[in-house]
Amino acid sequence: MMDGGVQPLLPDSILFEIFLYLDCSDILAAGLTCQQWHAVSLDEVLWKELFYRYYRVEREVPRHPAATSWYEEFQRLYDTIPCVEVQTLKEHSDQVLHLSFSHNGFLFASCSKDCTAKIWNNHLQISLLHSANMKAYNWSYTQFSQFNADDSLLLVSGVFVGPRSSSSGEIAVISLENFSLLSRVRNKPYDVFGCWLNETNLVSGNFHRIGYLTSCSVLWLNNAFQGVESENMNVVKRLFKIQNLNASTIRTVMVVDCSRYDAPDLLLDRGEQPAEGASSCGKSREEDPAPPTQGEELAASEPLEAQGEAVAGDGLGSFLTDIIEGRVQPVMSEFEMETKVAQLLAKSRTKPPAPSLLSTDGGGKKKYLIFTTGCLTYSPHQIGVKQILPHQMTTTGPVLGEERNSERFFDALDHVIELHGHIIGMGLSPDHRYLYVNSRAWPRDCVISDPLQPPPIAEEIDLHVLDLKTMKEVKRALRAHRAYTPSGESFFIFLDVSRDFVASGAEDRHGYIWDRHYDICLAKLRHEDVVNSVAFSPVEQELLLTASDDSTIKVWRSPRTVRLLQAQKPRLRRPFFSWAPNQRS
């Protein structure tokens, strides 16, 4: 019945079919006509159909587990995305490269080609709190920052002045109590960036050449208070020493805290099915050793240690004899020969990997180091995983972590994830369960014959989702953003992950936001140049910052938050669908 007891002219079924041809705002406006139209306008089946059609979500994807209705879920994606520009910060005088929030959300930091690290107050109207100019320390620019767990210290990573081929950098630790510089730590290559392991210890890198294409990367644990503590205790400790082949090196180090896995995370409640064709995106060095090659015929019954010694001795000797006597066919290039010899020498000089990362030993207290690496070329195309043992959590103990005369001075990676493309960005979900990776794909079935000539890379960026609990790739890669620089000039594009969303910069002058559950792009955020970094507030995912080569930082809030902050006086008949007219471009 209509209002006043009048018989409706149209049955609900016909009205339902008509409403399917309207957009959301028209449906809600029609719902104010009468009780019948109002009831049909809130029909769950109607809003389910509108949801899949409007957002172009695949039909097999179920509703978000936390959602209570299709109408509310439609409204959530429409009204809570930080896509409204509310402030532009212009205090930097050159390209802004990176943004990071404090854990409590009160502060954030920015790094720039103008060689400053700026610290900002995150109030409703954001203001500059402090600016640290690093030119006095022979820095060329600042590139990365990270707050420690209790937000008392800020790690700032920078690049030294020098020729373009130079890879040297430094990490500075700044006190947030009085903005004093507490310590400086060498960092090479500079795109290791550095990271906090805990409140007072940070990870840095070093790099040593062994041959033309062969090198080793050393990861160090450093005490943030080196100037104060160095007289009484160790302030540095070697964590890992890892061999690099084919001009590769370790970069972009991050810490994964497994104790956070138990936090509620709704990303994969629809079955945690691995991505198609990617049931196992990596391999454990322990579980899947490389097959024997020329000169490495091993007896299957030999234990691993005996095999390694045999390869290093008889294998290397046999290989060199075969080279001298011309029995190696086809003839190997000088690069191939160096890599082969390095592999054989490292067999008996590499400690075995840690027990399986998937084991439950140690409960949820384990921590991993994850980083980009490679084995085919200098372009980072793999994610390396190394478990941090309890005795490595502090700088106390031997500086080298073991006796100097140990014959096994290389550490094996515990797990490797191959992405078959140039990795240009990584970000962890708030619970550290999922790793999001920006990658530009290589051509399918490409063969790398020269490590110094990596394959061409795609303009389209793939955003991969890796489950660090199972070490598998899940979901299909997210797409929308693009990059145009060739492999040799490609640079890092920082991304960030909130509870429900993931955001990334791009070279196409936009930042992008996706929904983590539905795998859809929800917003494009305009800048005048390359967007290098994005950062969600850790306590308010409806606030997002973007940093660009146009020297600005833009502040974005959701339409819902903007309405609340405007504090408009309530109207006599404020429609309940006030969110609907806020169209986004």
Side-chain angles (χ1 to χ4, degrees):
M1 297 290 289
M2 297 184 68
D3 296 358
V6 180
Q7 187 70 26
L9 298 177
L10 292 173
D12 289 355
S13 59
I14 299 298
L15 200 58
F16 177 91
E17 294 296 328
I18 294 173
F19 280 9
L20 285 175
Y21 289 92
L22 304 180
D23 63 28
C24 60
S25 58
D26 291 336
I27 290 173
L28 293 171
L32 298 177
T33 304
C34 63
Q35 291 181 1
Q36 183 204 15
W37 286 31
H38 176 71
V40 174
S41 72
L42 296 180
D43 184 90
E44 273 292 278
V45 178
L46 172 66
W47 283 100
K48 178 180 179 179
E49 180 63 28
L50 290 172
F51 183 91
Y52 281 109
R53 189 170 65 194
Y54 183 86
Y55 293 112
R56 299 180 181 178
V57 177
E58 293 185 1
R59 295 281 175 164
E60 62 268 21
V61 179
R63 192 174 69 193
H64 194 296
T68 57
S69 74
W70 285 104
Y71 169 75
E72 291 179 357
E73 189 67 348
F74 192 108
Q75 181 179 359
R76 180 182 72 84
L77 295 189
Y78 205 103
D79 206 31
T80 65
I81 309 302
C83 60
V84 180
E85 182 183 342
V86 296
Q87 193 175 355
T88 301
L89 308 175
K90 300 181 179 180
E91 280 80 351
H92 281 291
S93 60
D94 207 336
Q95 302 169 0
V96 188
L97 303 180
H98 185 257
L99 299 164
S100 65
F101 268 99
S102 61
H103 295 83
N104 59 22
F106 295 160
L107 304 174
F108 69 88
S110 57
C111 295
S112 169
K113 281 287 184 74
D114 66 12
C115 205
T116 65
K118 297 187 186 298
I119 302 170
W120 308 76
N121 272 318
N122 182 28
H123 297 150
L124 291 181
Q125 193 69 17
I126 290 171
S127 60
L128 182 62
L129 179 63
H130 179 75
S131 181
N133 192 323
M134 304 303 291
K135 288 183 179 179
Y137 305 103
N138 201 37
W139 286 25
S140 176
Y141 57 90
T142 59
Q143 59 171 351
F144 176 83
S145 65
Q146 187 181 56
F147 290 81
N148 71 339
D150 63 7
D151 294 329
S152 62
L153 304 173
L154 180 67
L155 175 156
V156 179
S157 174
V159 179
F160 277 138
V161 173
R164 185 169 181 175
S165 59
S166 172
S167 62
S168 295
E170 192 172 54
I171 296 171
V173 178
I174 297 174
S175 166
L176 294 175
E177 181 180 2
N178 55 15
F179 305 114
S180 61
L181 182 62
L182 297 179
S183 59
R184 292 160 52 205
V185 176
R186 284 296 182 103
N187 191 42
K188 184 176 182 180
Y190 57 77
D191 49 4
V192 168
F193 294 119
C195 62
W196 292 103
L197 178 61
N198 50 43
E199 287 85 350
T200 59
N201 293 288
L202 59 107
V203 179
S204 66
N206 205 349
F207 173 82
H208 306 281
R209 290 200 176 276
I210 300 174
Y212 187 67
L213 296 178
T214 310
S215 64
C216 73
S217 290
V218 183
L219 296 177
W220 291 91
L221 185 65
N222 308 267
N223 190 300
F225 301 93
Q226 293 194 7
V228 178
E229 304 286 357
S230 58
E231 294 184 3
N232 304 313
M233 63 181 68
N234 289 338
V235 293
V236 296
K237 183 177 184 178
R238 193 179 79 191
L239 291 176
F240 305 112
K241 185 175 183 180
I242 298 168
Q243 184 191 52
N244 304 312
L245 301 175
N246 289 320
S248 65
T249 183
I250 286 176
R251 309 174 185 183
T252 319
V253 177
M254 306 172 73
V255 172
V256 177
D257 184 356
C258 301
S259 67
R260 300 168 71 169
Y261 284 178
D262 294 332
D265 192 290
L266 302 174
L267 172 63
L268 296 172
D269 279 358
R270 63 173 188 259
E272 298 194 6
Q273 294 299 319
E276 183 178 353
S279 60
S280 179
C281 62
K283 63 181 181 180
S284 165
R285 294 289 173 88
E286 179 182 41
E287 299 167 356
D288 190 10
T293 55
Q294 288 179 324
E296 292 183 82
E297 299 300 328
L298 305 176
S301 59
E302 286 185 284
L304 278 176
E305 293 189 12
Q307 289 180 5
E309 293 168 1
V311 169
D314 298 341
L316 180 58
S318 299
F319 174 70
L320 294 177
T321 300
D322 290 344
I323 289 288
I324 294 172
E325 297 181 1
R327 291 198 295 266
V328 176
Q329 297 296 332
V331 177
M332 301 178 75
S333 69
E334 188 175 330
F335 290 166
E336 292 172 327
M337 196 178 305
E338 178 185 330
T339 299
K340 184 67 175 180
V341 170
Q343 288 175 321
L344 292 172
L345 282 173
K347 282 289 185 180
S348 63
R349 292 170 172 80
T350 301
K351 295 189 286 290
S356 173
L357 299 185
L358 304 183
S359 71
T360 57
D361 295 341
K365 297 181 180 180
K366 292 191 294 186
K367 287 188 177 182
Y368 306 148
L369 280 183
I370 57 174
F371 40 81
T372 63
T373 183
C375 63
L376 302 175
T377 179
Y378 67 81
S379 297
H381 57 93
Q382 295 177 326
I383 305 293
V385 183
K386 191 68 184 162
Q387 183 175 341
I388 307 171
L389 300 177
H391 72 271
Q392 296 174 310
M393 299 290 184
T394 173
T395 56
T396 59
V399 172
L400 297 181
E402 59 181 60
E403 295 299 326
R404 287 178 179 269
N405 60 2
S406 171
E407 295 181 357
R408 296 195 168 199
F409 45 76
F410 288 132
D411 296 284
L413 300 186
D414 298 331
H415 200 82
V416 178
I417 299 171
E418 174 64 60
L419 290 181
H420 195 73
H422 190 133
I423 298 170
I424 60 169
M426 298 197 302
L428 285 167
S429 62
D431 64 359
H432 284 209
R433 168 79 183 267
Y434 299 99
L435 178 68
Y436 286 73
V437 183
N438 273 333
S439 174
R440 297 174 62 185
W442 291 337
R444 187 184 297 272
D445 301 324
C446 68
V447 176
I448 300 176
S449 56
D450 183 352
L452 302 181
Q453 297 292 329
I457 52 179
E459 288 188 354
E460 189 172 50
I461 302 174
D462 294 329
L463 184 50
H464 300 272
V465 188
L466 310 177
D467 184 349
L468 296 178
K469 191 172 184 179
T470 63
M471 294 297 166
K472 294 180 179 179
E473 183 171 1
V474 291
K475 297 172 160 282
R476 67 162 188 260
L478 307 178
R479 289 177 177 169
H481 49 332
R482 306 181 75 85
Y484 307 109
T485 52
S487 183
E489 302 173 19
S490 186
F491 51 86
F492 218 69
I493 294 177
F494 294 93
L495 55 95
D496 197 21
V497 189
S498 71
R499 184 192 65 220
D500 297 315
F501 309 128
V502 55
S504 175
E507 291 185 39
D508 58 13
R509 302 183 178 185
H510 288 88
Y512 290 82
I513 303 174
W514 293 264
D515 183 85
R516 293 178 61 195
H517 179 76
Y518 297 109
D519 303 339
I520 53 174
C521 184
L522 295 168
K524 292 175 64 176
L525 312 176
R526 176 74 180 177
H527 271 269
E528 298 303 316
D529 210 329
V530 172
V531 178
N532 295 305
S533 180
V534 298
F536 286 103
S537 166
V539 296
E540 182 189 2
Q541 67 173 357
E542 295 181 42
L543 170 62
L544 178 73
L545 307 176
T546 56
S548 171
D549 278 359
D550 63 16
S551 304
T552 68
I553 300 169
K554 289 191 176 184
V555 184
W556 308 83
R557 294 188 182 273
S558 68
R560 185 187 72 88
T561 304
V562 170
R563 288 197 311 275
L564 294 173
L565 294 178
Q566 287 174 345
Q568 294 178 342
K569 293 182 179 180
R571 301 172 183 174
L572 292 178
R573 289 193 62 185
R574 185 176 179 86
F576 71 95
F577 56 91
S578 58
W579 53 271
N582 292 307
Q583 299 288 346
R584 295 193 296 273
S585 59

